[in-house]
Amino acid sequence: MPASPRHPPPIRSTADFARYVGLARTTVSRVLNRHPGVKRKTVERVQRALEETGFTPNAFAVHLRGKGSAQVGICMENLFTPPMVLKLAALQKRLRQQGLTCFIEVHAPGEIRRVVQHFLAMQAGAVVFIGQFDPTELAARISELRLRGVAHLVIDQSAVPEANTVTLDRVGAMREVVDHLFALGHCTFGLLGMSSSLQSILDRRQGIVAALTAHRLDPDRCLQCLDHLEARANDFSFGRAIARAFASRPDRPTAFLAVNDATAIGAMVGFQEAGLCVPADLSIVGFNNQEICLMSNPTMSSVDQQIDATIDAAAEMILGQIGKPVAESVVRTIPSQFVERGSTGRAPRH
Amino acid sequence: MPASPRHPPPIRSTADFARYVGLARTTVSRVLNRHPGVKRKTVERVQRALEETGFTPNAFAVHLRGKGSAQVGICMENLFTPPMVLKLAALQKRLRQQGLTCFIEVHAPGEIRRVVQHFLAMQAGAVVFIGQFDPTELAARISELRLRGVAHLVIDQSAVPEANTVTLDRVGAMREVVDHLFALGHCTFGLLGMSSSLQSILDRRQGIVAALTAHRLDPDRCLQCLDHLEARANDFSFGRAIARAFASRPDRPTAFLAVNDATAIGAMVGFQEAGLCVPADLSIVGFNNQEICLMSNPTMSSVDQQIDATIDAAAEMILGQIGKPVAESVVRTIPSQFVERGSTGRAPRH
DNA sequence: CTGAAAGCGCTTACAG
DNA sequence: CTGAAAGCGCTTACAG
């Protein structure tokens, strides 16, 4: 009997594979794509051979000829902010459930053009931007996508002209926080790490100012910011350093609004180190409602981003837009949720 | 003069585009791929048209005909552990600098087969697994990849047979921690969230046992674990609950080793709530050296994962293996770094 | 320096 | 129910 060859001929194409099974490429293709009208015995024969050889059709050829399933490209510049990572994971999961393949590119700021180009080359039906991008650059990419009839969605960055957007109601979130603190007797507010010009921060400042104005407080007088004293990092150490700077000031505010939870907790520690009590002497509110809010002493009040609701809306918008060029831009705003914990309390008496 | 048409004919292929420029597809292709030997004036003409039309060649056709640049698929099941996310981001960046395109798939446990299949269909030259996977399943995927001459690399999971691996020296890490605590007079150790059978945890327990044995301590007597009292989550609340359980025990250990930083900090808070002092009454060590280690009071001693060194090694291995089938599996171990902070101190006198 | 033709690995009419 | 041929959008020898 003939020795079986050490290396059976490698199978690299449906042609090779069809030869191996003893059928035409057409028939093999039909089985691969579960088309009806193939004799059961033939189907089984092909499937057995599939198991034996482990053959996988070349996705590039599949997409070139057939349409291929719709694909979504996801751009992210920042994988260091936990809520964004959660959004990414949730979105990919949701889209895959709908039969869409996602391409994820984590890229440096300024590479957005290259990344979109790559997604276009990969025939993406939609491109999603998660996070905060350069607004001019982003707007340019979006009009490019519009021109090509490729859907797009911006998650978390508001006020990009012409953009389909889903974003947390950051304005409303901060209004709610300030209203709440005002009701507790607070009239002076320190801002921690909120001096950047990212749109998300602008929105939050706008909400703060709106709430103050509604309570007939003068923003110029009630808001204080010492961010300029520190090289900005918006992390724990930053919060602690800024808190130290605030602690010694006679006109120190009674409530503090932090850019994120780590900064808020840093500030809490900084104030405590300076001998101040939270919330007896001052209140602090974080943002994002991360797990670390439970770790501080007292626990940290914060604003929850409602990630599930955001991603639900995002997936719905993508599915609705993909393949159908929509002229008007769609903007959806997700209500936030203030979570009160131990770091907020009544304003101290003077 | 003729009115310019509202909608110029859409350009969807090099054929359309070549017609638009008035050249042959061949010439256009040469310019697109920066081949030499095209008249400068022609190059400029094509580039101008490229700007005007925004034409992007179809990546699927490019890959089908030419070889296409090498591609790397990255599998992850878990985007919730910050160090893993950092590794992912660092790796994609490193590989892109080398001209490799990455496909990232974040998938549920058990989907690893589907994901690898997809990467194979996409003609990936290498597949990388970051995190902890089902060992049997992972081994099966790796032998499949081996068979096809596709490179692979497992990051962070040791002891997968036949696998190319780069992983933190978790055995050595825990040996170092125990040695350090032993030198401070600790002879009894509580394990927090370390009872899982993930390989990474097995490695760490092995290091602990090895160190104890080296100091002539009996692991059976010096180690305590109460994980079974809680539905396991390995987060802050879990650590706090377990600490409460330990606090009331007369034979409470003097040192605690936690599965991660959040658990360690939870335990610290739990012990403090029970009236115990850290590190006067007991010492605690976390794992991962995340930013939150600076947020607790006292600050948390921890083990740093040396992410940069890990990813440097990973990128080097991938580049070395891609395209060149290597028979022997390569295993690289990265030394960890113990970072001592306020949560560890001398063992209390009895 | 430029172009017409062949072919990458698939799927999809069209025939049988 | 199965197969031979055409064609997806590129690049690459091969000619001129």
Side-chain angles (χ1 to χ4, degrees):
Chain A
M1 65 194 183
S4 78
R6 280 263 171 280
H7 294 286
I11 292 181
R12 305 217 165 288
S13 64
T14 37
D16 292 346
F17 182 73
R19 210 170 300 129
Y20 176 89
V21 211
L23 287 164
R25 281 142 71 213
T26 314
T27 309
V28 167
S29 174
R30 275 194 272 259
V31 175
L32 250 22
N33 297 291
R34 298 173 211 285
H35 289 181
V38 183
K39 205 165 41 168
R40 173 151 32 160
K41 225 175 150 183
T42 311
V43 173
E44 281 165 5
R45 184 141 66 103
V46 173
Q47 276 167 349
R48 207 172 325 120
L50 231 34
E51 301 262 327
E52 286 163 18
T53 60
F55 171 65
T56 315
N58 181 326
F60 290 95
V62 172
H63 275 260
L64 188 55
R65 195 56 182 87
K67 295 279 151 41
S69 65
Q71 301 173 123
V72 177
I74 305 180
C75 286
M76 287 194 75
E77 286 184 356
N78 174 347
L79 228 42
F80 302 95
T81 308
M84 286 198 194
V85 175
L86 296 179
K87 284 173 202 164
L88 170 65
L91 183 62
Q92 168 160 14
K93 187 174 172 192
R94 206 75 50 105
L95 292 178
R96 187 177 42 240
Q97 286 166 350
Q98 307 287 339
L100 302 185
T101 305
C102 293
F103 297 122
I104 301 169
E105 282 250 20
V106 181
H107 57 89
E111 295 193 306
I112 179 173
R113 177 165 198 179
R114 176 187 65 71
V115 172
V116 169
Q117 205 67 21
H118 181 222
F119 289 152
L120 286 171
M122 295 296 282
Q123 314 300 108
V127 175
V128 181
F129 303 86
I130 306 183
Q132 307 293 316
F133 299 81
D134 177 278
T136 317
E137 190 60 32
L138 186 53
R141 296 310 124 231
I142 283 167
S143 74
E144 194 174 296
L145 291 167
R146 272 237 146 75
L147 215 66
R148 313 262 194 117
V150 175
H152 73 272
L153 178 62
V154 177
I155 299 183
D156 258 9
Q157 180 165 356
S158 66
V160 180
E162 308 291 312
N164 299 320
T165 305
V166 52
T167 176
L168 188 75
D169 181 8
R170 290 183 167 74
V171 177
M174 294 318 288
R175 210 154 42 197
E176 185 184 355
V177 169
V178 171
D179 285 352
H180 181 84
L181 290 168
F182 182 80
L184 288 169
H186 296 274
C187 297
T188 49
F189 299 84
L191 303 184
L192 305 170
M194 301 266 282
S195 50
S196 107
S197 58
L198 288 180
Q199 186 60 43
S200 56
I201 303 296
L202 294 178
D203 291 345
R204 283 164 63 183
R205 289 214 298 269
Q206 183 193 324
I208 294 168
V209 167
L212 293 177
T213 309
H215 295 300
R216 305 184 172 278
L217 293 174
D218 177 358
D220 286 350
R221 290 168 186 272
C222 344
L223 293 180
Q224 285 185 36
C225 175
L226 298 182
D227 288 357
H228 52 279
L229 298 182
E230 276 296 311
R232 246 170 269 145
N234 289 355
D235 60 4
F236 176 86
S237 316
F238 167 79
R240 179 152 67 167
I242 295 291
R244 286 198 198 113
F246 266 118
S248 57
R249 301 201 139 208
D251 60 342
R252 171 169 45 78
T254 64
F256 289 85
L257 310 174
V259 64
N260 58 33
D261 295 324
T263 298
I265 293 174
M268 176 144 74
V269 169
F271 284 127
Q272 288 167 338
E273 286 169 349
L276 292 163
C277 275
V278 179
D281 295 322
L282 51 90
S283 292
I284 310 181
V285 178
F287 202 92
N288 287 345
N289 193 27
Q290 291 171 238
E291 192 196 6
I292 52 173
C293 291
L294 300 172
M295 301 192 198
S296 59
N297 185 10
T299 53
M300 182 57 66
S301 300
S302 191
V303 174
D304 190 272
Q305 289 221 24
Q306 304 291 93
I307 292 176
D308 283 347
T310 304
I311 295 306
D312 281 344
E316 193 183 309
M317 286 172 73
I318 294 166
L319 292 172
Q321 300 251 350
I322 211 163
K324 303 160 208 159
V326 176
E328 308 280 302
S329 61
V330 181
V331 174
R332 285 182 57 173
T333 306
I334 308 298
S336 68
Q337 166 111 43
F338 176 56
V339 181
E340 184 169 23
R341 296 204 182 85
S343 64
T344 41
R346 294 208 63 79
R349 305 276 173 82
H350 298 279
Chain B
M1 65 189 179
S4 77
R6 280 262 171 279
H7 292 289
I11 292 182
R12 304 217 165 286
S13 65
T14 37
D16 293 346
F17 182 73
R19 209 171 298 126
Y20 176 89
V21 211
L23 286 165
R25 282 142 73 213
T26 314
T27 308
V28 166
S29 174
R30 274 195 272 261
V31 175
L32 250 22
N33 296 290
R34 298 173 211 287
H35 288 180
V38 183
K39 206 164 42 167
R40 174 151 33 163
K41 224 173 152 182
T42 312
V43 174
E44 281 164 6
R45 185 141 65 103
V46 173
Q47 275 167 350
R48 209 172 323 120
L50 231 35
E51 301 263 326
E52 285 163 20
T53 60
F55 171 66
T56 314
N58 181 326
F60 290 96
V62 172
H63 274 261
L64 188 55
R65 194 57 185 86
K67 295 279 151 43
S69 64
Q71 301 174 121
V72 177
I74 304 180
C75 286
M76 286 194 76
E77 285 185 356
N78 173 347
L79 228 41
F80 301 95
T81 309
M84 285 197 195
V85 175
L86 295 179
K87 284 173 203 164
L88 170 65
L91 183 63
Q92 168 160 13
K93 187 174 172 196
R94 207 74 50 104
L95 292 178
R96 187 176 44 239
Q97 287 167 349
Q98 306 288 337
L100 302 185
T101 305
C102 293
F103 298 122
I104 300 169
E105 282 252 18
V106 181
H107 57 90
E111 294 193 307
I112 178 172
R113 178 167 197 176
R114 177 188 64 70
V115 172
V116 169
Q117 206 67 23
H118 181 223
F119 288 152
L120 285 172
M122 295 297 280
Q123 315 300 107
V127 175
V128 180
F129 303 87
I130 304 183
Q132 306 293 316
F133 299 82
D134 177 278
T136 316
E137 190 60 33
L138 186 53
R141 294 311 124 232
I142 283 167
S143 74
E144 193 172 298
L145 291 167
R146 270 238 147 75
L147 215 66
R148 312 263 194 120
V150 174
H152 73 272
L153 179 63
V154 177
I155 298 182
D156 259 8
Q157 182 165 355
S158 66
V160 181
E162 308 291 310
N164 299 320
T165 307
V166 51
T167 177
L168 188 74
D169 181 7
R170 290 183 166 76
V171 178
M174 294 319 287
R175 211 154 40 195
E176 186 184 355
V177 170
V178 171
D179 285 352
H180 181 84
L181 290 167
F182 182 79
L184 288 169
H186 296 273
C187 297
T188 49
F189 300 84
L191 303 183
L192 305 169
M194 301 267 281
S195 49
S196 107
S197 58
L198 288 180
Q199 186 60 43
S200 56
I201 303 296
L202 294 178
D203 291 344
R204 284 163 63 183
R205 288 215 299 270
Q206 184 193 324
I208 293 168
V209 167
L212 293 177
T213 310
H215 294 301
R216 306 184 169 278
L217 295 173
D218 177 0
D220 285 351
R221 291 168 186 273
C222 343
L223 293 180
Q224 286 186 36
C225 175
L226 298 182
D227 288 357
H228 52 280
L229 299 181
E230 276 295 312
R232 245 171 269 147
N234 290 353
D235 61 4
F236 176 86
S237 318
F238 167 78
R240 179 152 67 168
I242 295 291
R244 286 199 198 112
F246 266 118
S248 57
R249 301 203 138 205
D251 60 342
R252 171 172 43 78
T254 64
F256 289 85
L257 309 174
V259 64
N260 58 33
D261 295 324
T263 299
I265 293 174
M268 176 144 72
V269 169
F271 284 127
Q272 289 167 339
E273 287 169 350
L276 292 164
C277 275
V278 180
D281 294 323
L282 52 87
S283 292
I284 310 181
V285 178
F287 202 92
N288 288 344
N289 193 27
Q290 291 171 236
E291 191 195 7
I292 51 173
C293 291
L294 299 172
M295 300 193 198
S296 60
N297 185 11
T299 54
M300 182 56 66
S301 301
S302 190
V303 174
D304 189 272
Q305 288 221 25
Q306 304 292 92
I307 292 176
D308 284 346
T310 303
I311 296 305
D312 281 344
E316 194 183 308
M317 286 172 72
I318 294 165
L319 292 173
Q321 300 250 349
I322 211 164
K324 304 158 208 161
V326 177
E328 309 280 302
S329 62
V330 181
V331 174
R332 284 180 61 171
T333 308
I334 309 297
S336 68
Q337 166 112 41
F338 176 57
V339 181
E340 184 168 23
R341 296 203 182 85
S343 64
T344 40
R346 294 209 62 80
R349 304 277 172 84
H350 297 281

